[in-house]
Amino acid sequence: MTIRILIADDEALLRMAFSMVLDAQPDLEPIGEAGNGADAVRLAVELRPDVVLMDVRMPGTDGIEATRQILRNCPHTRVLILTTFDLDEYAFAGLKAGASGFLLKNTRPEELLAAIRTVAAGDAVVSPRVIRRLLEKFRPHLPDPAATAPDERLSRLSSREREVLVQVGAGRSNAEIAAALHLAEATVKSHLGRILQKLELRDRVQAVIFAYESRLIRPS
């Protein structure tokens, strides 16, 4: 199935470059370009893309607010934020607005293409490094696990799935989890898929939040 993509960036040359990279892929189709956030929202509502490549800093409506508006009006569209600035505030704001991923614009083309396919399939693309930094910075603002009742959905998980979820909540990558639990990386990926299904979670980011809210991990 072809993945339809809207490109939102205030630099025309970057829009053209992204479009050329996407056009070369048989399963990816660039369907529109926007030079500002307001146009991105308008085109998303009109074209209903599967994925929006969203710049953060654009004139008028910025990429974060545009993401919020797009997901409110087009709940089945996924947003992948691309920015020049490796700032925690941008990553946190974008994820809070509902974005499914956060990448730097200097990401290699093959990584960008893989990220687009990943978010289109319903998963999130946020590096474990970014997750760890966000947890360190915003941990004081997370819900206090001691003040909330354990989530009943935890009972759906096997003991091994709980172990994997704890590792995910700590911001570790699949490779790191595999090494820590002496598993194959493919096995970790399978466990994570079942965890998301059983807990009714959208992606890895929601799994991290769930791990805190359900007391599997305590802020420290």
Side-chain angles (χ1 to χ4, degrees):
M1 186 170 62
T2 301
I3 300 170
R4 303 166 67 252
I5 303 156
L6 172 65
I7 304 167
D9 196 292
D10 63 347
E11 295 187 33
L13 284 177
L14 273 177
R15 295 199 303 271
M16 181 176 67
F18 286 143
S19 184
M20 290 175 62
V21 170
L22 299 175
D23 240 343
Q25 304 300 309
D27 60 331
L28 305 180
E29 179 188 2
I31 60 170
E33 298 181 10
N36 57 65
D39 283 347
V41 174
R42 177 179 58 79
L43 287 173
V45 171
E46 177 183 334
L47 301 175
R48 302 286 168 164
D50 300 304
V51 177
V52 178
L53 296 185
M54 181 71 74
D55 187 20
V56 173
R57 302 181 73 172
M58 293 186 290
T61 304
D62 65 23
I64 304 301
E65 178 57 29
T67 295
R68 191 175 292 111
Q69 292 183 29
I70 287 171
L71 296 180
R72 184 167 60 242
N73 290 286
C74 312
H76 298 296
T77 295
R78 313 285 285 187
V79 176
L80 181 58
I81 289 180
L82 295 173
T83 180
T84 308
F85 306 95
D86 187 15
L87 298 178
D88 295 337
E89 289 80 1
Y90 287 162
F92 181 74
L95 295 174
K96 187 176 180 182
S100 297
F102 176 88
L103 293 176
L104 295 178
K105 288 183 179 177
N106 62 4
T107 296
R108 297 196 303 268
E110 59 269 25
E111 293 176 344
L112 172 62
L113 296 173
I116 290 171
R117 295 181 177 111
T118 297
V119 299
D123 204 351
V125 178
V126 184
S127 73
R129 175 183 59 82
V130 170
I131 292 177
R132 281 195 288 263
R133 283 167 44 196
L134 292 177
L135 289 177
E136 289 301 322
K137 183 161 187 176
F138 297 101
R139 190 170 276 156
H141 306 291
L142 292 171
D144 181 3
T148 57
D151 195 304
E152 60 85 22
R153 287 176 292 175
L154 272 177
S155 62
R156 304 174 187 173
L157 302 182
S158 68
S159 58
R160 176 60 87 184
E161 288 166 349
R162 284 195 183 212
E163 290 177 333
V164 172
L165 180 57
V166 167
Q167 297 287 321
V168 171
R172 297 190 174 96
S173 67
N174 287 354
E176 291 170 330
I177 296 171
L181 300 182
H182 307 290
L183 299 171
E185 193 169 341
T187 302
V188 172
K189 187 175 181 180
S190 296
H191 279 311
L192 180 57
R194 287 194 293 271
I195 289 167
L196 296 178
Q197 183 178 28
K198 289 181 177 180
L199 298 181
E200 303 169 33
L201 302 176
R202 186 183 65 186
D203 51 44
R204 196 183 196 100
V205 175
Q206 288 193 343
V208 172
I209 296 171
F210 181 91
Y212 275 85
E213 292 181 335
S214 61
R215 303 186 186 182
L216 284 179
I217 294 182
R218 296 181 181 275
S220 61

